[in-house]
Amino acid sequence: MKPACLAAAALVFLASPAAAQHQHPPQDQALHEKFYSTWYMPDDPARSCCNNADCYPTEVKVTGGNLYARRREDGKYILIPPQKIERNRDNPDGRNHLCAPPPTSYHPPDTVFCFSLGGGI
């Protein structure tokens, strides 16, 4: 592919809604970085949950007594395993936060690293 085509393809990707969702709002960047960088898996406290690329505020729903969070890359609501729910620390802004790999990653489908429930559903 020619360099001009590569540059054009990169611009299309960077301007896409999915790519834009990977950026935290500027006013939340420092707050989220601090929270995510010190967050460890509730079911494996020696392992970090995530990084800024894997974690983000999200929407949730409860169906049939199960908690689901919306994955940003494809909008799919994925099941939150109870052992992945943070119960020992508050989140920084009262919103729901999900740490999960994108659906195209090498992890098993619908993997959840960590989840923090916000102030309301």
Side-chain angles (χ1 to χ4, degrees):
M1 189 179 271
K2 294 181 180 180
C5 293
L6 287 173
L11 284 175
V12 168
F13 174 75
L14 291 174
S16 74
Q21 291 176 352
H22 287 275
Q23 299 296 320
H24 296 269
Q27 68 274 14
D28 295 339
Q29 187 71 35
L31 185 68
H32 290 168
E33 283 178 6
K34 182 177 180 184
F35 177 61
Y36 299 150
S37 69
T38 60
W39 195 9
Y40 293 87
M41 292 186 184
D43 59 334
D44 189 357
R47 293 183 63 197
S48 176
C49 282
C50 49
N51 61 44
N52 277 330
D54 297 328
C55 299
Y56 46 89
T58 190
E59 298 170 14
V60 297
K61 68 179 182 178
V62 176
T63 303
N66 294 312
L67 182 64
Y68 294 83
R70 186 174 183 267
R71 185 170 49 208
R72 69 175 164 208
E73 289 85 3
D74 60 1
K76 178 182 179 184
Y77 280 85
I78 58 175
L79 178 66
I80 304 300
Q83 70 272 19
K84 294 296 185 178
I85 299 173
E86 180 61 61
R87 301 180 195 284
N88 296 317
R89 68 185 281 204
D90 292 330
N91 63 45
D93 56 10
R95 293 187 282 179
N96 308 303
H97 288 266
L98 174 65
C99 294
T104 57
S105 76
Y106 62 89
H107 293 280
D110 302 338
T111 293
V112 172
F113 298 141
C114 301
F115 177 79
S116 180
L117 188 62
I121 295 178

